[in-house]
Amino acid sequence: MASIEIPEETAGRDVHAAIPDDFRLESGQRLTATEVVGRLSGPEHAPLVVVAGGISSGRFATRWWPSVVKAGGPVDLNRLRVLAFDLLPGGGEAGVTITTADQARLLALLLDALGAQRIDAFVGASYGGCIGLAFAALFPERIGELAVISAAHRAHPAATAVRGVQRRLLAFARDCGREAEGVALARQLAMTTYRTADEFDLRFSQTAPAGAGEPFPVCDYLIAKGSAYAGATSADRWISLSDSLDRHSVDPRLVRCPLTVVGFSSDTLVPIADNRELAAGAPNLRRLVEAPSIFGHDAFLKERELVGRVLHDVLNPLTALQPSEIAA
């Protein structure tokens, strides 16, 4: 039987749903985790919006997406009930093969525990956008609007190529007993795909270090980013979630809810051509937004004005009719 805490404050409260003993991943595996954990924020009777982000995100959406999920923000905690959740597997599970459809099914367990038969909207960025697409395909009757940012219906082979190197690096470092160093190095490699050559050209000089093998200025930046991330996740968890991204595949024709797609022309992980293909195949496209950005894949975090305007257009109709009643 699922247990649940009901939020009393807009600041948010954790919610829990038990994972049934017979729950199996598409791979046939069974998670060692016994529950899905989310965080519910906002007025109790407001429209319900699920927010999900990249593989580093989790239930504290106000921390990893503070420009978007906040009181008075594009995902307005004064006017919307917002649910974010921790991605599985957790840090203690090894060798887990999990798909975006599995994540969507785990989210459904959390919604069942909340007694929420239907969500008014799903806002997903990066991996979270992939989960949103999978949820819409699996549970068409349980979703209103879907907004997908920096995500598409499939993994691009060029992105898989880089993530495959990351996974082999992580496994090598783990097996050598130097896991934290491997996580830091994999993060450095990831940062080169999250950002763009143009941004690096503007920010960093090519001043040569004194000796061969010493870091250039851009390397100092990457080393700092890697060091800051070294303890953020385990190698096994990153391998599972990275692999999950590359298994992601959803037929756009199955995404029947109203769909907004936001893509950035500089994103090498999710090429704009894939955003266009998703939009062209979806039967109920509301809007395809294509935009330039110097920030590449990280544009969903950095292009705050554009993302804010789009999400306002998607979500504002949910609360436009009776805002005073929602706040009551």
Side-chain angles (χ1 to χ4, degrees):
M1 182 71 177
S3 64
I4 183 167
E5 296 177 73
I6 301 299
E8 298 175 354
E9 303 173 357
T10 58
R13 295 286 300 276
D14 283 352
V15 294
H16 304 261
I19 300 174
D21 291 340
D22 61 354
F23 187 92
R24 295 293 183 273
L25 303 176
E26 288 190 326
S27 63
Q29 292 176 303
R30 180 176 177 176
L31 290 164
T32 60
T34 59
E35 64 177 9
V36 190
V37 183
R39 192 164 184 86
L40 192 62
S41 306
E44 182 178 355
H45 299 294
L48 178 59
V49 177
V50 171
V51 175
I55 63 174
S56 300
S57 68
R59 70 185 188 275
F60 295 102
T62 56
R63 297 180 186 175
W64 59 260
W65 215 2
S67 64
V68 167
V69 184
K70 61 181 180 178
V75 180
D76 189 351
L77 294 177
N78 290 334
R79 296 162 62 88
L80 298 168
R81 193 164 48 128
V82 178
L83 175 67
F85 60 101
D86 288 341
L87 303 171
L88 291 175
E93 298 192 55
V96 176
T97 302
I98 191 167
T99 66
T100 52
D102 291 325
Q103 303 283 9
R105 292 166 55 223
L106 289 164
L107 170 61
L109 294 176
L110 197 55
L111 294 173
D112 290 344
L114 281 168
Q117 292 301 312
R118 183 176 182 274
I119 60 175
D120 294 282
F122 191 121
V123 175
S126 190
Y127 185 62
C130 299
I131 296 172
L133 290 164
F135 186 89
L138 283 172
F139 305 105
E141 73 287 353
R142 301 192 71 170
I143 184 170
E145 298 277 340
L146 173 60
V148 170
I149 308 168
S150 301
H153 58 295
R154 65 156 190 157
H156 194 280
T160 299
V162 177
R163 286 193 290 261
V165 174
Q166 288 175 311
R167 292 192 290 272
R168 292 189 290 277
L169 190 160
L170 287 162
F172 179 76
R174 177 201 61 201
D175 295 345
C176 290
R178 302 176 69 175
E179 182 171 347
E181 293 173 75
V183 170
L185 282 170
R187 182 65 170 183
Q188 292 182 46
L189 179 57
M191 290 301 301
T192 68
T193 66
Y194 297 159
R195 301 299 180 87
T196 67
D198 286 342
E199 183 194 1
F200 283 170
D201 191 34
L202 285 172
R203 291 181 61 179
F204 304 106
S205 72
Q206 279 298 86
T207 303
E214 296 179 14
F216 282 73
V218 68
C219 302
D220 288 328
Y221 164 77
L222 294 175
I223 290 167
K225 289 293 186 181
S227 297
Y229 196 73
T233 189
S234 68
D236 286 324
R237 184 172 192 266
W238 193 347
I239 289 169
S240 288
L241 291 174
S242 168
D243 178 87
S244 182
L245 267 169
D246 291 325
R247 293 177 187 274
H248 172 66
S249 180
V250 172
D251 186 341
R253 294 172 296 181
L254 298 180
V255 182
R256 301 187 183 95
C257 64
L259 173 66
T260 298
V261 179
V262 182
F264 297 94
S265 56
S266 59
D267 190 342
T268 58
L269 291 179
V270 185
I272 197 68
D274 282 2
N275 299 127
R276 293 170 182 161
E277 186 175 310
L278 168 61
N284 198 2
L285 179 71
R286 280 211 189 277
R287 187 181 179 193
L288 168 62
V289 178
E290 299 184 24
S293 175
I294 201 170
F295 298 114
H297 188 67
D298 269 358
F300 79 90
L301 296 169
K302 295 292 189 179
E303 298 291 352
R304 297 173 183 177
E305 184 177 347
L306 171 68
V307 170
R309 287 199 310 267
V310 172
L311 294 182
H312 177 273
D313 291 346
V314 172
L315 300 176
N316 191 57
L318 298 180
T319 59
L321 294 180
Q322 298 291 342
S324 60
E325 290 184 10
I326 291 171

